[in-house]
Amino acid sequence: MKTPFSEGNVGLERLVFFSDAVMAIAITLLAIDLRLPLAQNPTAGQLPGLLLRLFPQFLASTISFFVIGSFWSVHHRLFLYIKRYDNMLTRINLVFLFLVVMMPFATSVLAGFGGTLIGVAIYAGVVAAIAFVHTLMWRYATQEHRLVDSDLPEGLVRAEYRVSLLAAGIFLASIPVALLSPYLAQFSWILWRLILSVITWRRKARAKG
Amino acid sequence: MKTPFSEGNVGLERLVFFSDAVMAIAITLLAIDLRLPLAQNPTAGQLPGLLLRLFPQFLASTISFFVIGSFWSVHHRLFLYIKRYDNMLTRINLVFLFLVVMMPFATSVLAGFGGTLIGVAIYAGVVAAIAFVHTLMWRYATQEHRLVDSDLPEGLVRAEYRVSLLAAGIFLASIPVALLSPYLAQFSWILWRLILSVITWRRKARAKG
Amino acid sequence: MKTPFSEGNVGLERLVFFSDAVMAIAITLLAIDLRLPLAQNPTAGQLPGLLLRLFPQFLASTISFFVIGSFWSVHHRLFLYIKRYDNMLTRINLVFLFLVVMMPFATSVLAGFGGTLIGVAIYAGVVAAIAFVHTLMWRYATQEHRLVDSDLPEGLVRAEYRVSLLAAGIFLASIPVALLSPYLAQFSWILWRLILSVITWRRKARAKG
Amino acid sequence: MKTPFSEGNVGLERLVFFSDAVMAIAITLLAIDLRLPLAQNPTAGQLPGLLLRLFPQFLASTISFFVIGSFWSVHHRLFLYIKRYDNMLTRINLVFLFLVVMMPFATSVLAGFGGTLIGVAIYAGVVAAIAFVHTLMWRYATQEHRLVDSDLPEGLVRAEYRVSLLAAGIFLASIPVALLSPYLAQFSWILWRLILSVITWRRKARAKG
């Protein structure tokens, strides 16, 4: 009898599928608070006020959409290299998904308390934790080529590793920044995202060249 | 080692799957506001009033269901032709999904403020933006046959391109119409949908004949 | 160039997948109202009262779960036979999904107004409409073996056709029953479900024997 | 004509997919109550109070996340062995999913009434029921190798069987424990989870050795 954990098995596909579904739901639920209450006698004059009140929620949801989107993107890329799985990978992935599912909560904290140190710290902490568990998952999979092809270049392994750790570091580092200004901390996330894009870009270019 | 972005790879399938899941969730969440509150001592007499109050929400959800359904349908068709993907396509697709996720919000605006210029303008703006990003995605994929088969007929490329742009145009054009009457603007969407169906129909018929 | 609508294409799979996702979300959203409010100083004594108040919602959700589950089951079976698809099938399927997405709404009507004629009529109407569109989809697919294998036995086609129409009939017929008693109408659904199971069972047995 | 229930058919895949989607949605919906209300004039001082009020919900959601996650994991493992399906398996699976969909409800009961016997008993009852139906599904599939490979080792069948029954037993046994202390009962779940992990671990090790 063939062991179910071997390469090409339907099991890995289902693990990836389940992860995709959870991330897709979490990313879509971000918008669930972004709805206007049903007004009784709506007039055009009320709308700007209602929209303005939703603005912090809108901003936080937008940031979270691209945070989860980025994690999906990296998860996607890593699982192109991961060819086998075992119970431990399933468990680490479950913890990863648990933290992703916490994102709508963290988003509501950011929306309501984005102007306070503790609000920004909670959000940054959750995102850093996701990035950290992601790094762990990659480390577990690639250590002694445990779950990846034996010819996966060491440079690629390390590059992914560094980018994941960097993401964790950026969000952790933003917590002391929030001591100065919570809004500066949020701005630093966007700034670093751009820098990270450039790094990835250069890594890709180097890989091609 | 095989590059993960080549044709037939599991990666493209996962990108499509994630997009499908997000669109499926967004389309289903439209109905989440369409629920009656739990009544204490319900009598048959209360029901018509409660249903009537839900009517604008019902109408807006119905329009949005078929708007998202149409976008799913076109996304589906385009990805039958797209054979490869890269980081940029993933990113454009993520922006596309972000706007789709905004649809429940836009729907609640239409439900509450469909009788006002600003309400119709916000809704039309979101839909036009989705159509525009979709056009962009198709342009990116087909430019110099970047991500499609090299023998994909130029006529088909341009036809899809025109239909997408037209959808964006219809919703943008409805904004000045809403100056006259917000309800006329909403009616124009349905009217144009029918016209668009005829155009697609004729294009299909020509392709077959 | 291969036409995208031919047999074995990824397109049909994606259509089925999207349908599955929408049905899975709709079936899970049924339970979203089945949550206790966060109590301030909860005592064991409060719980029975809170549960009792949720009972109509629980009953309605349970019925709807198995209604959607049955439709999923039949949709599943039919698409084992459907081998090709075209724009019209996609459209009929979209209308089918639209009605499925209306089920949480219909469920809230049944939960709140299950003791009234109009409440039962709305619920029965939505379910009958789903069954009717499903029948239509099957008819479209099998007419002159349009989208099914040419050797699909006529008996099987007609059997599925009859079961689908029967389901529509049962729910429509329950509306006049609700004139006598709304609860009798609801009971008739469960009764007929059992009878339908027996019919399917006998059909299966005959097919095997 | 090929029968749709034979091995390797798309039908089984779709059954598994639908189950995955329902479990993914149920697990993600757990976090839907874990959101802060939109504050009007939020101050950092309010946040700890709001978070504290969410704590029982957070704890209950966390337990439920890993309960559903474990069930997904076992469902996943079992369906690696299940190679065929029939109507009865589809039905048992639907009952299994129905109980999974009840988990957000059971979680809200635990969050609100985790300190009461009845609250713990309801939660434990739902989880035990899921485990029991899961055992039933496995028994149905493996009896006389009905839906599994004929060379599936009897030892593996029985091991899975025992683990499933054990899970049901643990949650049932915690109900009398809740007579002493509801919190002790909840603690027993976590304790047993660890013991169960060790059992699984030893079984795996033995299978390898």
Side-chain angles (χ1 to χ4, degrees):
Chain A
M1 201 196 63
K2 216 178 131 204
T3 153
F5 300 113
S6 58
E7 192 160 333
N9 197 292
V10 79
L12 180 59
E13 201 182 287
R14 199 178 160 189
L15 178 71
V16 166
F17 166 77
F18 184 72
S19 309
D20 274 358
V22 169
M23 286 188 272
I25 300 156
I27 214 171
T28 315
L29 285 185
L30 290 173
I32 219 173
D33 279 335
L34 277 181
R35 288 172 306 173
L36 295 184
L38 281 180
Q40 282 302 78
N41 298 303
T43 59
Q46 289 171 280
L47 190 50
L50 287 169
L51 292 178
L52 212 69
R53 223 184 300 159
L54 276 180
F55 186 72
Q57 184 67 38
F58 176 77
L59 206 73
S61 294
T62 304
I63 293 177
S64 290
F65 186 95
F66 289 100
V67 165
I68 300 183
S70 296
F71 279 119
W72 176 80
S73 208
V74 185
H75 192 271
H76 171 96
R77 198 168 62 228
L78 261 47
F79 272 81
L80 291 173
Y81 300 121
I82 295 177
K83 301 290 182 188
R84 295 172 295 276
Y85 74 106
D86 57 14
N87 278 331
M88 184 56 81
L89 188 78
T90 305
R91 257 172 235 163
I92 303 176
N93 192 54
L94 207 60
V95 174
F96 171 77
L97 293 178
F98 174 71
L99 290 166
V100 168
V101 165
M102 288 297 121
M103 280 299 289
F105 161 70
T107 306
S108 76
V109 171
L110 190 67
F113 297 89
T116 70
L117 168 63
I118 186 167
V120 168
I122 287 176
Y123 188 85
V126 171
V127 177
I130 301 178
F132 181 74
V133 173
H134 199 273
T135 312
L136 209 77
M137 187 152 61
W138 184 234
R139 183 167 191 78
Y140 178 77
T142 55
Q143 226 177 11
E144 300 172 32
H145 294 83
R146 190 186 275 121
L147 305 170
V148 294
D149 276 342
S150 55
D151 59 356
L152 189 72
E154 195 57 36
L156 194 150
V157 169
R158 252 182 264 147
E160 291 290 351
Y161 193 61
R162 241 177 292 138
V163 168
S164 264
L165 265 185
L166 191 60
I170 285 164
F171 278 88
L172 279 184
S174 75
I175 298 178
V177 173
L179 276 168
L180 298 173
S181 155
Y183 296 110
L184 190 65
Q186 295 182 48
F187 179 72
S188 81
W189 304 336
I190 298 165
L191 191 74
W192 274 105
R193 183 68 191 81
L194 296 176
I195 296 176
L196 211 67
S197 284
V198 173
I199 292 174
T200 315
W201 184 279
R202 278 186 47 200
R203 188 168 55 77
K204 281 266 146 63
R206 226 182 304 150
K208 270 186 195 161
Chain B
M1 202 196 61
K2 216 178 131 207
T3 152
F5 300 113
S6 58
E7 193 160 333
N9 197 292
V10 79
L12 181 59
E13 201 182 286
R14 200 179 159 188
L15 179 71
V16 166
F17 167 78
F18 184 72
S19 309
D20 273 357
V22 169
M23 286 188 273
I25 300 157
I27 214 172
T28 316
L29 284 184
L30 290 172
I32 219 173
D33 279 334
L34 276 182
R35 289 171 306 173
L36 295 183
L38 281 179
Q40 281 304 78
N41 298 303
T43 61
Q46 289 172 280
L47 190 50
L50 287 169
L51 292 178
L52 212 68
R53 222 182 302 160
L54 276 180
F55 186 72
Q57 183 67 38
F58 176 77
L59 206 73
S61 294
T62 304
I63 293 178
S64 290
F65 185 95
F66 289 99
V67 165
I68 300 183
S70 296
F71 279 119
W72 176 80
S73 209
V74 186
H75 193 271
H76 170 96
R77 200 167 61 227
L78 261 46
F79 272 82
L80 291 173
Y81 300 121
I82 294 177
K83 302 291 182 188
R84 293 173 296 278
Y85 74 107
D86 56 15
N87 279 330
M88 185 55 82
L89 188 78
T90 306
R91 257 171 235 163
I92 303 176
N93 193 55
L94 206 60
V95 173
F96 170 77
L97 293 179
F98 174 71
L99 290 166
V100 168
V101 165
M102 288 298 120
M103 281 298 289
F105 161 71
T107 306
S108 76
V109 171
L110 190 67
F113 297 89
T116 70
L117 169 63
I118 187 168
V120 167
I122 288 177
Y123 188 84
V126 171
V127 178
I130 300 179
F132 180 73
V133 173
H134 199 273
T135 313
L136 208 76
M137 187 152 62
W138 184 233
R139 183 166 191 78
Y140 178 77
T142 56
Q143 224 177 13
E144 299 171 34
H145 294 82
R146 189 185 275 121
L147 305 170
V148 295
D149 277 344
S150 56
D151 59 355
L152 189 73
E154 196 56 37
L156 194 149
V157 169
R158 252 181 266 148
E160 292 290 352
Y161 192 62
R162 242 178 290 137
V163 168
S164 264
L165 265 184
L166 191 59
I170 285 164
F171 278 88
L172 278 185
S174 75
I175 298 178
V177 173
L179 277 167
L180 298 173
S181 156
Y183 296 110
L184 191 65
Q186 295 181 48
F187 180 72
S188 81
W189 303 336
I190 298 165
L191 190 74
W192 274 105
R193 182 69 191 81
L194 296 175
I195 297 175
L196 210 65
S197 285
V198 173
I199 292 174
T200 315
W201 184 279
R202 278 186 47 201
R203 187 167 55 78
K204 280 268 144 61
R206 226 181 305 150
K208 270 186 193 159
Chain C
M1 203 197 60
K2 215 176 133 205
T3 152
F5 301 113
S6 59
E7 191 160 335
N9 196 292
V10 78
L12 181 58
E13 202 182 285
R14 199 178 159 189
L15 179 70
V16 166
F17 167 78
F18 184 72
S19 309
D20 273 358
V22 169
M23 286 187 273
I25 300 157
I27 215 171
T28 315
L29 284 184
L30 290 172
I32 220 173
D33 279 335
L34 276 181
R35 289 171 307 174
L36 295 184
L38 281 179
Q40 281 304 77
N41 298 303
T43 60
Q46 289 171 279
L47 190 49
L50 287 169
L51 292 178
L52 211 69
R53 223 183 300 160
L54 277 180
F55 186 73
Q57 184 66 37
F58 176 77
L59 206 73
S61 294
T62 304
I63 293 177
S64 290
F65 185 95
F66 289 99
V67 165
I68 300 183
S70 296
F71 279 119
W72 176 81
S73 208
V74 185
H75 193 271
H76 170 96
R77 198 166 63 228
L78 261 46
F79 272 81
L80 291 173
Y81 300 120
I82 294 177
K83 302 292 182 188
R84 293 172 296 276
Y85 75 106
D86 56 14
N87 279 330
M88 185 55 82
L89 188 78
T90 306
R91 255 170 234 164
I92 303 175
N93 193 54
L94 206 59
V95 174
F96 171 77
L97 293 179
F98 174 72
L99 291 165
V100 169
V101 164
M102 287 297 120
M103 281 298 289
F105 161 71
T107 306
S108 75
V109 172
L110 190 67
F113 297 89
T116 70
L117 169 63
I118 187 168
V120 167
I122 288 177
Y123 188 84
V126 171
V127 177
I130 300 178
F132 180 74
V133 173
H134 199 272
T135 313
L136 208 77
M137 187 152 61
W138 184 235
R139 184 167 191 78
Y140 177 77
T142 57
Q143 225 176 14
E144 299 170 35
H145 293 82
R146 189 185 276 120
L147 306 170
V148 294
D149 276 344
S150 56
D151 59 355
L152 189 72
E154 196 55 38
L156 193 149
V157 169
R158 251 182 266 146
E160 293 289 352
Y161 193 61
R162 242 179 290 137
V163 168
S164 264
L165 265 185
L166 192 60
I170 285 164
F171 277 88
L172 279 184
S174 75
I175 298 177
V177 174
L179 277 168
L180 299 173
S181 155
Y183 296 110
L184 191 65
Q186 295 181 48
F187 179 72
S188 81
W189 304 336
I190 298 165
L191 191 73
W192 273 105
R193 183 68 190 82
L194 296 176
I195 297 175
L196 210 66
S197 285
V198 173
I199 293 173
T200 315
W201 185 279
R202 278 187 47 201
R203 187 168 55 78
K204 280 266 145 64
R206 226 181 306 149
K208 271 186 194 159
Chain D
M1 202 197 60
K2 217 179 132 203
T3 152
F5 300 114
S6 58
E7 192 160 334
N9 197 292
V10 80
L12 180 58
E13 201 183 288
R14 199 179 159 188
L15 179 71
V16 166
F17 167 78
F18 184 72
S19 309
D20 273 358
V22 169
M23 286 188 273
I25 300 157
I27 215 172
T28 315
L29 284 184
L30 290 172
I32 220 173
D33 280 335
L34 276 181
R35 289 170 306 172
L36 295 184
L38 281 180
Q40 280 304 76
N41 300 303
T43 60
Q46 289 171 280
L47 190 50
L50 287 170
L51 292 178
L52 212 68
R53 223 183 299 159
L54 277 179
F55 186 73
Q57 184 67 37
F58 176 76
L59 206 73
S61 295
T62 304
I63 293 178
S64 290
F65 185 95
F66 289 99
V67 165
I68 300 183
S70 297
F71 279 119
W72 176 80
S73 207
V74 184
H75 193 271
H76 171 96
R77 199 166 62 229
L78 261 46
F79 272 81
L80 290 173
Y81 300 120
I82 295 177
K83 301 290 182 188
R84 293 172 295 277
Y85 74 106
D86 57 14
N87 278 330
M88 186 54 81
L89 188 78
T90 306
R91 256 171 234 163
I92 303 176
N93 193 55
L94 206 59
V95 174
F96 170 77
L97 293 178
F98 174 71
L99 290 166
V100 168
V101 165
M102 287 297 120
M103 280 299 289
F105 161 71
T107 306
S108 76
V109 171
L110 190 67
F113 297 89
T116 70
L117 168 62
I118 187 167
V120 167
I122 288 176
Y123 188 85
V126 171
V127 177
I130 300 178
F132 180 74
V133 173
H134 199 273
T135 313
L136 209 77
M137 188 153 59
W138 184 234
R139 184 169 190 78
Y140 177 78
T142 57
Q143 225 177 13
E144 300 171 34
H145 294 82
R146 191 186 275 122
L147 305 170
V148 294
D149 276 342
S150 56
D151 58 356
L152 189 71
E154 196 55 37
L156 194 149
V157 169
R158 252 182 265 147
E160 291 290 352
Y161 193 61
R162 243 178 290 137
V163 168
S164 263
L165 266 185
L166 191 60
I170 285 164
F171 278 88
L172 280 185
S174 75
I175 298 178
V177 173
L179 277 168
L180 297 172
S181 155
Y183 295 110
L184 191 64
Q186 295 181 47
F187 179 72
S188 82
W189 303 336
I190 298 165
L191 191 73
W192 273 105
R193 184 67 190 84
L194 295 175
I195 297 176
L196 211 66
S197 284
V198 172
I199 292 174
T200 315
W201 184 279
R202 279 187 47 200
R203 188 167 55 77
K204 281 266 145 61
R206 225 181 306 149
K208 270 186 195 159

